């Protein structure tokens, strides 16, 4: 009787369990990526808009801009810690003052989501307060994500920072992605599918028959056409049928006129009646 090594079997079972746990964890992570965002006013409509951005969750997107002599880098993450800063959805970093504290533009635990057919507006509220602008209210980030079927995720751009107002100031960003594009449904009808299948079958018949006649049978010229004799007969029968149906003249009637004979007619002898005259 052969004894199975229990250590090898135990190691195999352990590795199988680890792989399953990793796969399950990654599945939950990808399907619940947008669940980390907390809406200001929880609603099914806004949660549905967020679900359209599932493939963009937990990814950092950066953009750079210059304001006068200052240069800034913005980091955005969908429903995750932007740049590794807890709770921050969008942060502003001073490119020249790397040791300075980053400015939190918006938090993903105060999210709003508005969507259209080919766009989504994501709003992060409750950022750091302004020092002197906008009545020292909290900063707010607005990210416009538009449909672009040509690329998975484009480069994020800084559109503007509107702080020259009393209140409701905001930072506006834009990002292109194919993730929010609606799937285009196929409009091919059943008749079109049947025609396509028919054309394919005819092409296979012609090409295959030609190769068979050429390479196997050794036919030349028109004889290379598959079933050439059959199709010639079909053509002749079709022509006869058209001639029978479309022509109205009775074939048994004699022709309406006869041709003029080309041979000269023999002259009949002239009958003279001189003997009948009185002498």
């Amino acid at each position: 009787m052969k004894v199975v090594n229990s250590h090898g079997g135990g190691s195999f079972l352990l590795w199988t369990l680890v792989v399953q746990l990793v796969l399950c964890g990654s599945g939950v992570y990808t399907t619940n990526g947008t669940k980390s965002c907390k809406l200001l006013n929880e609603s099914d409509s806004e949660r549905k808009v967020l679900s359209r951005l599932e493939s963009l969750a937990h990814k950092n997107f950066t953009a750079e801009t210059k304001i006068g002599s200052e240069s800034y880098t913005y980091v955005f993450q969908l429903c995750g810690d932007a740049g590794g800063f807890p709770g921050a959805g969008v942060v502003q970093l001073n490119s020249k003052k790397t040791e300075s504290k980053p400015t939190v533009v918006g938090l993903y635990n105060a999210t709003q989501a508005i969507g259209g057919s080919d766009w989504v507006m994501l709003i992060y509220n409750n950022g750091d307060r302004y020092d002197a602008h906008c009545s020292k209210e909290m900063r707010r980030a607005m990210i416009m994500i538009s449909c672009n079927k040509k690329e998975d995720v484009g480069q994020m751009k800084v559109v503007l920072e509107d702080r020259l107002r009393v209140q409701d100031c905001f930072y506006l960003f834009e990002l292109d992605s194919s993730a929010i594009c609606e799937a285009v449904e196929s409009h091919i009808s059943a008749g079109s599918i049947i025609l396509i299948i028919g054309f394919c079958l005819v092409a296979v018949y012609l090409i295959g028959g030609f190769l068979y006649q050429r390479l196997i049978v050794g036919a030349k010229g028109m004889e290379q056409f598959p079933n050439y004799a059959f199709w010639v007969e079909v053509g002749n029968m079709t022509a006869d049928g058209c001639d029978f149906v479309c022509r109205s003249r009775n074939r048994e009637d004699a022709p309406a006129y006869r041709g003029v004979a080309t041979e000269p007619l023999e002259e009949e002898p002239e009958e003279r009646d001189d003997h009948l005259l009185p002498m």
Side-chain angles (χ1 to χ4, degrees), residues 229-275:
F230 170 76
W231 292 114
V232 168
E233 185 65 24
V234 169
N236 292 334
M237 293 177 65
T238 303
D240 293 341
C242 291
D243 184 67
F244 178 79
V245 173
C246 299
R247 297 196 179 189
S248 60
R249 180 175 62 83
N250 188 356
R251 295 191 175 112
E252 295 181 357
D253 292 344
Y257 63 91
R258 296 179 179 178
V260 178
T262 58
E263 297 180 357
L265 298 176
E266 296 182 359
E267 295 183 1
E268 296 181 359
E270 183 180 356
E271 294 183 1
R272 301 185 65 84
D273 53 358
D274 295 343
H275 63 283

Side-chain angles (χ1 to χ4, degrees), residues 12-191:
F12 176 76
L13 292 176
L14 179 61
W15 278 109
T16 303
L17 180 61
V18 170
V19 170
Q20 289 179 350
L21 289 175
V22 171
L23 292 176
C24 292
S26 61
V28 173
Y29 182 79
T30 54
T31 55
N32 298 329
T34 57
K35 296 294 181 65
S36 301
C37 282
K38 294 182 180 179
L39 299 173
L40 283 178
N41 299 303
E42 187 68 36
S43 66
D44 293 337
S45 60
E46 290 192 49
R47 188 59 66 180
K48 184 178 180 180
V49 172
L50 277 177
S51 65
R52 295 170 58 186
L53 305 174
E54 193 72 42
S55 62
L56 303 179
H58 305 289
K59 296 179 181 179
N60 281 323
F61 303 96
T62 60
E64 296 182 358
T65 185
K66 290 184 178 181
I67 303 177
S69 60
E70 299 292 332
S71 179
Y72 297 97
T73 299
Y74 294 89
V75 182
F76 157 66
Q77 187 172 147
L78 177 64
C79 303
D81 299 333
F85 300 99
V90 177
V91 295
Q92 180 191 64
L93 304 173
N94 194 321
S95 300
K96 293 183 178 181
K97 301 177 182 179
T98 55
E99 297 180 357
S100 62
K101 181 182 177 181
T103 301
V104 177
V105 182
L107 302 176
Y108 63 84
N109 61 2
T111 303
Q112 293 175 277
I114 307 170
S117 59
D118 59 352
W119 59 272
V120 170
M121 175 68 78
L122 192 67
I123 304 174
Y124 286 156
N125 298 281
N126 299 346
D128 292 343
R129 292 186 179 275
Y130 285 98
D131 295 331
H133 304 283
C134 306
S135 303
K136 298 183 179 181
E137 68 178 4
M138 293 182 178
R139 288 176 169 84
R140 178 175 54 169
M142 304 175 69
I143 303 96
M144 171 64 76
I145 305 175
S146 304
C147 168
N148 188 347
K149 297 180 180 180
K150 296 182 180 180
E151 54 185 350
D152 294 335
V153 181
Q155 178 64 39
M156 189 176 74
K157 300 177 183 178
V158 181
V159 179
L160 62 90
E161 177 189 359
D162 190 357
R163 61 181 185 178
L164 300 177
R165 54 171 67 191
V166 178
Q167 58 183 7
D168 296 330
C169 299
F170 61 89
Y171 293 75
L172 180 59
F173 308 89
E174 64 178 6
L175 179 67
D176 292 339
S177 175
S178 60
I180 62 172
C181 297
E182 294 183 348
V184 179
E185 297 181 358
S186 176
H187 297 287
I188 301 178
S189 62

